[in-house]
Amino acid sequence: MALWKNGAFVDDAWREIAEGEDPPPAGHVILPLDWWEQERDAFEGSNAPLGLRVAPGVPIERFARDINRFALIELVFPKFGDGRAFSMARLLRERHGFRGELRATGDVLIDQIQMMARCGFDTFQISDATTERLLRERGAPAYKRFYQPGATPEAPVDSRPWARRPG
Amino acid sequence: MYRYDEFDAAFVADRVSAFRDQVSRRLSGDMTEEQFRPHRLMNGLYLQLHAYMLRVAVPYGTLNARQMHKLAHIARVYDKGFGHFTTRQNIQYNWPALSDVPAILDELASVEMHAIQTSGNCIRNVTADHFAGAAADEIEDPRPYAEILRQWSSIHPEFTFLPRKFKIAVNGADWDRAAIQVHDIGYQIVRNEAGEVGFAVYVGGGLGRTPMIARKLRDFLPKADLLAYTQAIVRVYNLEGRRDNKYKARIKILVHEKGVDPMREAVEAEFAAASREFISLPASEIARIKSYFAPPALQARAACDAYEARRQTDPRFAAFAANNVHPHRVAGHGVVTISLKPIGGVPGDATAAQMDAVADLAARYGHDEIRVSHEQNLVLPHVALDDLPAIYDELAANGLATANAGLISDIIACPGLDYCALATARSIPIAQRISERFGEGERARDIGELKIKISGCINACGHHHVGHIGILGLERKGVETYQITLGGSGDETCSLGTLTGPGFSSEEVVDAIERIVNVYMSVRTDRSEDFLAAYRRVGMQPFKEALYETSKGADI
Ligand code: SF4
């Protein structure tokens, strides 16, 4: 497991909470959504930084009111072909105004990283060995022309409202 | 037609160079087949029964002569000298070597073509009426909207890993030649009461194992909202579509299980909530894209002497003119269908020489336009009738003058057991034998319009559910057996065919088709009542009787 952020591997300040474990009061832990829903009262008044882990298929409405309580939201790609978290990321950023760290985890492969970033993810937990090796060797693919507006810094190209390039 | 600018060309070039790198990693063993798979699928490369198959996108079925020459060149140099035009208006090559694929993609890019998104669970090639821009019954040319959708859906960061493939079709005429009601989204160009042009929106159609006709979500969508509304539909699908079972993953199942009203509410809510900022279409931009599709300046011609003279003296030419030429919106012109269904041939196949011949004809007589139809034929959309004799002679010299467009021998057939790894039965040989039985002559013309569609397994790539006569090849105890459905239709009167009863063996099936045709000939009021109309009037019973009672009698 290695955490990819802004074109480099970085140390991970966060820790996933294991089943049944008590969260340390200092925070920097990622809580599963079910856990959070049961224990949210215990965090009343606490400022400890918290993360939330959300499985694909969970409607964002279920935790929308708590979004600003979280410094990090982690969305799961159980298989690279399960693309639900792409839409969830866009909704979190564009509709619900989430500004914290949006983390991709699960089957995160090299060729999806730029797409994930363009949907609003900013950190990527890499468990695939080939992806990790390729990222170390050559970094993530960085295509420079898009036919849709994305969440990374981008500039319009011409009169087409949908075309973009990095900028 | 649309022309790439620098941005579009560079977009494709970037993708080709990335794929070249991936292929070399695969060939060097640095990548396993499993790791390579998503990359090759992004680039239209399938692993078939005997070899790789490369599917090249022909956006909304429109090609110019230069592109068709290039397709011929690729067939000649990198394949076995032919290509196969598909029911998705694309072309497939069945024998490319993996190591050649990057070079093929470079060749394609040099004529503004690619293979992006011709496979995988993404938004596939957007299809449109193959008579677009030429037919007399058109409200507006659908292709500018198909092009806008094509661009916006290319490597879409949110929608490249959908539950399943996603197909969009756009039709601009009263007659639905694009079969929009059997697509995931069908856009029908309509005029509302205020006289504005927009789209009726259909969603959740599809064939395959669970055939369904699309449901209407909207009577009228303003043009400006085309992308925003498409985004809303695809987003609801991406979030809610089933991912637990590949055969229940298309949007049609979501619409069916959720119900059309809740589906509409979900889409409308998503549409209302989403920002329009970047995907609302300004009228100026629609006009700019439309200008690429401006029709050629054709002069109306009152008299067509050369055409008439040949028609009077040459019955074969007259038959071709009657069957394969559709009225053009400009007098004295026609829309010419070039049948890729020679009698006894493989539906949709064209040799390199034939592709070159069609390209030359388009350049010389056809304002540089060629279309691929979802019925696996080619079309010259803008032809002066007085040029038709010369065109006909050239087609005939290349084995392309089969006068059977829309007739019983103009059969759609999927590749079936001859190529496809999923097939349960052969489909091409059945098509060949039916075509030989009925031909293109007097008898076929007397039978009139009749669409036969054949699939080699329940995945229904041959669209048999919407054939006037549909044939589905199955395997029962190691033997091929063919089920027959009647009364399907993919046009604006869309309907799914009804099963006649037990299936027929490969030996029996052509006789069974003949019996069905004989019933039709005996019940029709006159020649103007085509097969579908007659079937809809008299129902299944007389066909059933002829099929099963006679065969019982024969068995005793
Ligand atoms: S219908 Fe079946 S046999 Fe025919 S091409 Fe599709 S998957 Fe293959």
Side-chain angles (χ1 to χ4, degrees):
Chain A
M1 264 325 189
L3 189 69
W4 180 257
K5 179 181 183 180
N6 289 334
F9 281 105
V10 297
D11 290 338
D12 188 357
W14 292 85
R15 192 163 71 77
E16 309 257 350
I17 273 287
E19 195 72 37
E21 186 185 347
D22 281 336
H28 272 112
V29 285
I30 303 172
L31 313 170
L33 178 59
D34 289 346
W35 200 101
W36 164 253
E37 286 176 334
Q38 282 163 29
E39 303 289 329
R40 62 199 307 276
D41 291 348
F43 289 92
E44 204 69 60
S46 150
N47 286 324
L50 294 179
L52 182 70
R53 178 182 168 97
V54 184
V58 172
I60 289 171
E61 287 63 37
R62 206 172 122 185
F63 58 94
R65 65 186 174 131
D66 294 335
I67 277 174
N68 291 324
R69 179 64 189 82
F70 296 102
L72 175 152
I73 294 178
E74 182 177 78
L75 300 178
V76 186
F77 291 84
K79 291 177 296 198
F80 78 83
D82 184 337
R84 285 176 286 186
F86 288 106
S87 286
M88 293 167 77
R90 281 196 68 182
L91 289 172
L92 279 172
R93 290 293 196 214
E94 293 171 27
R95 185 119 354 126
H96 299 279
F98 179 64
R99 293 279 159 268
E101 176 177 337
L102 193 53
R103 180 177 288 194
T105 190
D107 199 12
V108 176
L109 301 182
I110 185 150
D111 291 279
Q112 274 96 66
I113 287 176
Q114 190 179 25
M115 291 179 164
M116 289 175 181
R118 299 193 67 243
C119 286
F121 287 100
D122 43 19
T123 60
F124 308 87
Q125 194 148 52
I126 308 299
S127 46
D128 175 63
T130 310
T131 296
E132 183 177 339
R133 176 170 62 80
L134 290 172
L135 284 172
R136 289 190 194 283
E137 282 170 17
R138 53 167 87 184
Y143 290 103
K144 293 195 172 57
R145 291 162 190 90
F146 315 112
Y147 284 115
Q148 318 78 18
T152 47
E154 291 168 8
V157 171
D158 49 32
S159 62
R160 285 178 279 195
W162 57 87
R164 288 291 181 281
R165 63 163 51 106
Chain B
M1 65 190 287
Y2 185 72
R3 297 305 311 262
Y4 280 12
D5 61 14
E6 248 173 81
F7 180 88
D8 301 315
F11 179 91
V12 173
D14 288 349
R15 299 284 157 179
V16 175
S17 76
F19 189 56
R20 179 183 296 280
D21 173 59
Q22 288 149 1
V23 167
S24 73
R25 271 150 60 198
R26 172 76 190 105
L27 290 170
S28 73
D30 202 14
M31 222 192 255
T32 64
E33 166 55 29
E34 198 190 340
Q35 290 167 327
F36 181 57
R37 193 167 171 271
H39 302 297
R40 65 172 169 76
L41 289 179
M42 285 297 281
N43 288 280
L45 192 62
Y46 287 76
L47 203 49
Q48 289 280 72
L49 215 45
H50 311 291
Y52 281 110
M53 178 270 278
L54 179 68
R55 183 181 293 154
V56 175
V58 181
Y60 33 89
T62 293
L63 289 167
N64 61 27
R66 199 167 136 248
Q67 291 172 322
M68 186 62 107
H69 279 306
K70 183 59 83 178
L71 296 179
H73 171 78
I74 291 169
R76 201 175 275 123
V77 175
Y78 302 99
D79 205 284
K80 295 188 174 178
F82 64 94
H84 178 77
F85 290 95
T86 78
T87 56
R88 292 285 303 155
Q89 301 182 304
N90 291 324
I91 184 171
Q92 293 177 182
Y93 294 104
N94 281 314
W95 310 97
L98 177 57
S99 54
D100 283 339
V101 172
I104 299 175
L105 297 179
D106 275 339
E107 300 251 20
L108 289 169
S110 74
V111 295
E112 306 182 4
M113 294 183 76
H114 60 72
I116 296 167
Q117 286 181 209
T118 58
S119 55
N121 295 335
C122 53
I123 299 174
R124 300 287 189 86
N125 182 26
V126 179
T127 52
D129 177 6
H130 44 274
F131 291 173
D137 61 343
E138 188 169 84
I139 298 168
E140 227 186 77
D141 190 333
R143 291 173 302 159
Y145 306 101
E147 171 59 25
I148 289 169
L149 285 164
R150 180 193 74 81
Q151 292 192 15
W152 166 83
S153 63
S154 293
I155 320 283
H156 196 295
E158 183 182 352
F159 300 139
T160 296
F161 298 94
L162 298 171
R164 205 69 181 88
K165 58 189 170 184
F166 199 89
K167 301 175 179 180
I168 304 177
V170 192
N171 189 60
D174 294 337
W175 183 2
D176 177 9
R177 280 176 292 260
I180 64 164
Q181 292 186 57
V182 290
H183 282 76
D184 296 287
I185 298 178
Y187 284 116
Q188 171 66 45
I189 297 180
V190 292
R191 202 182 292 280
N192 69 6
E193 280 154 19
E196 298 154 331
V197 174
F199 306 94
V201 185
Y202 294 83
V203 71
L207 300 173
R209 295 172 184 230
T210 320
M212 287 187 191
I213 294 173
R215 308 296 300 268
K216 200 192 239 186
L217 282 197
R218 272 258 188 155
D219 289 322
F220 188 82
L221 179 74
K223 287 177 180 179
D225 292 330
L226 178 66
L227 294 183
Y229 205 78
T230 308
Q231 173 180 278
I233 294 171
V234 184
R235 184 172 285 163
V236 168
Y237 170 57
N238 190 38
L239 287 168
E240 297 186 25
R242 286 181 61 171
R243 292 176 187 264
D244 59 328
N245 180 341
K246 157 176 184 198
Y247 300 113
K248 296 192 188 311
R250 295 288 289 271
I251 195 174
K252 63 189 172 187
I253 304 291
L254 177 65
V255 175
H256 180 71
E257 290 182 350
K258 197 177 166 78
V260 67
D261 292 327
M263 182 71 190
R264 182 182 298 113
E265 278 162 34
V267 169
E268 291 287 341
E270 173 55 43
F271 174 65
S275 156
R276 298 283 187 287
E277 200 180 345
F278 300 118
I279 53 173
S280 180
L281 299 176
S284 57
E285 192 55 20
I286 295 176
R288 191 181 71 84
I289 303 277
K290 270 171 93 164
S291 66
Y292 286 108
F293 297 91
L298 303 178
Q299 296 292 333
R301 297 167 175 231
C304 302
D305 298 340
Y307 168 74
E308 288 301 339
R310 179 78 179 266
R311 229 158 56 98
Q312 300 306 323
T313 55
D314 179 352
R316 296 184 71 101
F317 176 83
F320 180 85
N323 274 308
N324 292 37
V325 182
H326 184 87
H328 196 282
R329 69 157 70 126
V330 179
H333 292 77
V335 183
V336 177
T337 297
I338 300 169
S339 169
L340 296 182
K341 318 292 174 58
I343 302 308
V346 177
D349 273 7
T351 64
Q354 288 176 324
M355 291 185 232
D356 279 334
V358 171
D360 287 338
L361 287 172
R364 188 136 169 233
Y365 303 108
H367 299 268
D368 201 24
E369 274 214 45
I370 303 158
R371 306 285 170 76
V372 183
S373 80
H374 72 89
E375 280 156 349
Q376 299 181 282
N377 291 318
L378 299 176
V379 173
L380 298 176
H382 308 291
V383 162
L385 291 178
D386 274 342
D387 290 332
L388 199 62
I391 292 171
Y392 175 80
D393 291 338
E394 191 59 29
L395 289 174
N398 284 281
L400 287 169
T402 316
N404 63 351
L407 299 183
I408 186 167
S409 51
D410 183 1
I411 299 169
I412 291 184
C414 80
L417 206 51
D418 294 288
Y419 294 98
C420 177
L422 303 173
T424 43
R426 289 168 298 168
S427 45
I428 291 169
I430 305 296
Q432 290 170 318
R433 282 164 47 215
I434 295 172
S435 151
E436 277 159 359
R437 177 76 59 98
F438 294 96
E440 56 168 321
E442 190 53 47
R443 181 166 180 221
R445 285 200 296 282
D446 190 24
I447 296 166
E449 179 169 330
L450 209 175
K451 294 184 195 295
I452 297 184
K453 300 181 196 264
I454 310 175
S455 303
C457 80
I458 53 175
N459 289 322
C461 305
H463 303 170
H464 64 275
H465 301 294
V466 291
H468 299 167
I469 299 176
I471 301 176
L472 166 62
L474 297 169
E475 188 236 277
R476 291 270 183 274
K477 301 194 181 84
V479 184
E480 287 164 307
T481 169
Y482 294 87
Q483 290 185 342
I484 298 179
T485 49
L486 301 180
S489 169
D491 66 8
E492 65 285 354
T493 67
C494 196
S495 57
L496 301 173
T498 306
L499 194 62
T500 56
F504 299 87
S505 71
S506 167
E507 289 70 39
E508 295 165 335
V509 66
V510 181
D511 291 335
I513 300 300
E514 183 152 31
R515 254 180 260 145
I516 290 166
V517 170
N518 290 342
V519 172
Y520 156 64
M521 297 297 276
S522 67
V523 301
R524 72 179 180 187
T525 49
D526 57 47
R527 268 183 92 139
S528 71
E529 188 182 50
D530 66 21
F531 179 88
L532 186 62
Y535 172 81
R536 283 174 172 169
R537 181 172 56 79
V538 305
M540 176 64 87
Q541 203 49 37
F543 295 95
K544 230 180 169 130
E545 279 164 19
L547 279 175
Y548 298 105
E549 271 152 38
T550 334
S551 79
K552 232 185 274 161
D555 285 344
I556 293 167

